[in-house]
Amino acid sequence: MTHTLALAETFGSDLVRGIGAILLYGVIGLLLMLVGFYAIDWTTPGKLSDLVRRGLPNAVIVTASGMLSMAFIVVVAIFNSASDLTEGLITSLVYGLLGIIVQVLAVRLLEWSTRIDVKGTMQSEVFAPASIVVAAAHLALGLVVAVSIS
């Protein structure tokens, strides 16, 4: 008794197309994460990369939470993109960029309304509990924005 395992005729092209899609979405995701980081950096008092390199605990906490919140947005934007590859890449990019803009504005508005001294908190060399509030705002609003994309 002989068994033949046959692959679909389109298996090879489907595999190559899938690998290409992974690479393209990976590039879009990376670009969106970079845009998200620079958006957080631009709208937060102090140069984030410098503050993090100096090991300032509050800057590390806020930056990490900001990056996680951006990742939520990017992942949901990619997950909810159109099934056609070209349309999917475009919708991921547009929804991701819009999500980042909404996220940054929402976090800054929340920080302003709570009257937290973000600059002083970020530049402090000792842990400040206010950094947890700012980090929670990043994560919570990132989740809200991400779900709004879906």
Side-chain angles (χ1 to χ4, degrees), residues 46-150:
K47 180 86 173 120
L48 285 182
S49 56
D50 291 343
L51 297 174
V52 169
R53 265 195 301 279
R54 287 178 41 205
L56 300 179
N58 306 307
V60 170
I61 291 168
V62 171
T63 302
S65 67
M67 294 308 298
L68 283 171
S69 70
M70 292 301 164
F72 295 149
I73 294 166
V74 171
V75 166
V76 173
I78 290 173
F79 183 77
N80 287 301
S81 63
S83 60
D84 176 75
L85 181 58
T86 303
E87 290 176 9
L89 292 169
I90 293 168
T91 56
S92 293
L93 188 60
V94 170
Y95 292 162
L97 288 172
L98 184 59
I100 289 168
I101 291 167
V102 171
Q103 164 72 2
V104 168
L105 292 174
V107 168
R108 296 302 156 239
L109 181 62
L110 191 63
E111 289 171 356
W112 174 80
S113 67
T114 60
R115 305 284 188 222
I116 293 173
D117 177 15
V118 177
K119 183 176 183 176
T121 299
M122 298 286 283
Q123 295 180 349
S124 175
E125 294 191 13
V126 297
F127 169 72
S131 68
I132 299 297
V133 174
V134 175
H138 274 280
L139 294 172
L141 291 168
L143 286 170
V144 169
V145 172
V147 170
S148 73
I149 291 172
S150 61

Side-chain angles (χ1 to χ4, degrees), residues 4-70:
T4 304
L5 179 61
L7 298 173
E9 288 182 28
T10 60
F11 176 77
S13 62
D14 291 345
L15 183 62
V16 169
R17 189 172 27 257
I19 292 169
I22 291 168
L23 294 173
L24 291 170
Y25 278 112
V27 168
I28 293 289
L30 176 61
L31 289 173
L32 288 170
M33 290 300 296
L34 287 170
V35 167
F37 174 79
Y38 286 110
I40 295 168
D41 187 24
W42 180 59
T43 60
T44 304
K47 180 86 173 120
L48 285 182
S49 56
D50 291 343
L51 297 174
V52 169
R53 265 195 301 279
R54 287 178 41 205
L56 300 179
N58 306 307
V60 170
I61 291 168
V62 171
T63 302
S65 67
M67 294 308 298
L68 283 171
S69 70
M70 292 301 164

